[in-house]
Amino acid sequence: MYRAQRNGKSPTSGERIDFKFSKFQALQVPKVWDKLLVSIISVETGKTIARSNKAMVRNGNCQWTETLSESIWISNDDSSKELEEHLFKFVVSMGSARSGILGEATINIARYYTSSRSSAQVSLPLKKCNYGTILQLSVHIKGLKDRNTRAPMQKPWTKIMMMGVADQMGQLPLLI
């Protein structure tokens, strides 16, 4: 359940943001690991929300071709100036918990929502890993470009004033 729903707020009091995670790559993978997968787990609920297919480890590197997606609600509550945390854990493993976990990394994806860029490359050192393995991935925010490039609403009287000035100067009005 989303935090907004649990707090009694309607999910429509916020904005739904779609995140895509792609270009997964594990670097410095030890030779004892032959196939790996990535799971995305919600820290809040503890549930797995997305999982990649298994990929072969070659020369200490492992790449996944899948794109994994998730949506979250960002609250539009003006009483709180701080953005709510949305923590996701990325777990790199051979499959189930019984067969071995190479390591894990946690990110707050709400941080990427506040960025002015619609995508970011992220390098995450795996915790609980003794081999120095790093997980690289791309975080893409769908619809962010539209949100950031929206022109601020111009008040109607601004255009009227500009037209009046242009008329006085004997020129055509310049509408911005």
Side-chain angles (χ1 to χ4, degrees):
M1 201 187 251
Y2 292 108
R3 204 173 281 166
Q5 291 171 332
R6 191 179 62 210
N7 291 339
K9 296 177 186 174
S10 145
T12 58
S13 68
E15 186 176 354
R16 180 181 159 195
I17 306 299
D18 297 321
F19 287 88
K20 289 190 333 184
F21 305 100
S22 61
K23 300 178 186 170
F24 288 95
Q25 183 175 5
L27 306 173
Q28 301 175 12
V29 178
K31 292 181 181 182
V32 296
W33 301 82
D34 60 345
K35 288 185 179 182
L36 295 172
L37 63 85
V38 177
S39 300
I40 302 175
I41 300 170
S42 168
V43 172
E44 183 179 352
T45 64
K47 293 183 180 180
T48 301
I49 55 175
R51 184 181 227 166
S52 73
N53 291 323
K54 287 187 177 183
M56 294 290 297
V57 177
R58 292 192 179 109
N59 299 325
N61 293 329
C62 187
Q63 291 184 312
W64 293 268
T65 57
E66 295 100 323
T67 297
L68 306 176
S69 301
E70 178 60 16
S71 297
I72 64 168
W73 287 94
I74 301 289
S75 175
N76 287 343
D77 185 14
D78 290 335
S79 64
S80 171
K81 297 295 180 198
E82 290 184 25
L83 198 59
E84 221 174 277
E85 280 191 339
H86 291 278
L87 299 175
F88 282 173
K89 186 186 301 185
F90 293 87
V91 178
V92 180
S93 67
M94 288 182 65
S96 68
R98 293 185 200 115
S99 59
I101 294 175
L102 177 59
E104 60 186 48
T106 304
I107 64 170
N108 179 5
I109 61 170
R111 181 178 127 199
Y112 298 97
Y113 171 72
T114 60
S115 172
S116 62
R117 298 182 345 195
S118 63
S119 66
Q121 293 284 36
V122 181
S123 290
L124 305 167
L126 295 183
K127 295 179 183 173
K128 301 180 183 178
C129 178
N130 299 328
Y131 307 105
T133 304
I134 297 170
L135 179 66
Q136 293 182 336
L137 62 121
S138 178
V139 179
H140 181 75
I141 305 157
K142 293 168 77 176
L144 182 64
K145 186 173 265 187
D146 298 335
R147 179 179 61 88
N148 285 338
T149 58
R150 260 187 236 145
M153 282 199 49
Q154 196 174 40
K155 296 178 181 171
W157 56 265
T158 307
K159 286 185 180 179
I160 294 169
M161 285 179 56
M162 288 172 35
M163 289 172 61
V165 170
D167 285 343
Q168 290 174 3
M169 296 173 55
Q171 300 172 351
L172 293 174
L174 173 65
L175 298 178
I176 300 174

